[in-house]
Amino acid sequence: LHVVRLLNMAKDIGCGKGVIVRRPEAKELLKIRKGKISLQEIIDNFEKIELEIKESFDNSGLPKEVSVKWLNKFLTSIRLKNLK
């Protein structure tokens, strides 16, 4: 259930939709939780989702790598704001 949810969230991020917490595929996720969808079906669907994720990130404007210098500066600014 959680792996499928996280894969779908990754696809949303790659497509530029951001982080959607309330999942539009909630009914399907509940079927997984209740055991109504077999592990083999999930595994078979994984390859399709994996390809969609790769394509969405390849076509997104997101950088291929994160700047460690920028990230450290950003995290430091958050910490400093929370210390006040």
Side-chain angles (χ1 to χ4, degrees), residues 42-57:
I42 295 168
I43 292 169
D44 292 343
N45 196 31
F46 170 78
E47 291 178 359
K48 176 185 166 212
I49 293 174
E50 183 183 30
L51 180 61
E52 290 173 353
I53 290 169
K54 287 180 181 180
E55 288 175 358
S56 68
F57 275 90

Side-chain angles (χ1 to χ4, degrees), residues 10-57:
K11 186 171 64 169
D12 289 344
I13 292 168
C15 291
K17 296 177 183 176
V19 177
I20 302 170
V21 177
R22 296 201 182 266
R23 302 304 310 157
E25 70 278 359
K27 289 182 181 180
E28 182 179 324
L29 294 172
L30 289 173
K31 287 180 186 177
I32 294 170
R33 176 178 279 169
K34 293 176 183 178
K36 294 181 179 180
I37 297 178
S38 72
L39 179 59
Q40 190 58 52
E41 287 178 84
I42 295 168
I43 292 169
D44 292 343
N45 196 31
F46 170 78
E47 291 178 359
K48 176 185 166 212
I49 293 174
E50 183 183 30
L51 180 61
E52 290 173 353
I53 290 169
K54 287 180 181 180
E55 288 175 358
S56 68
F57 275 90

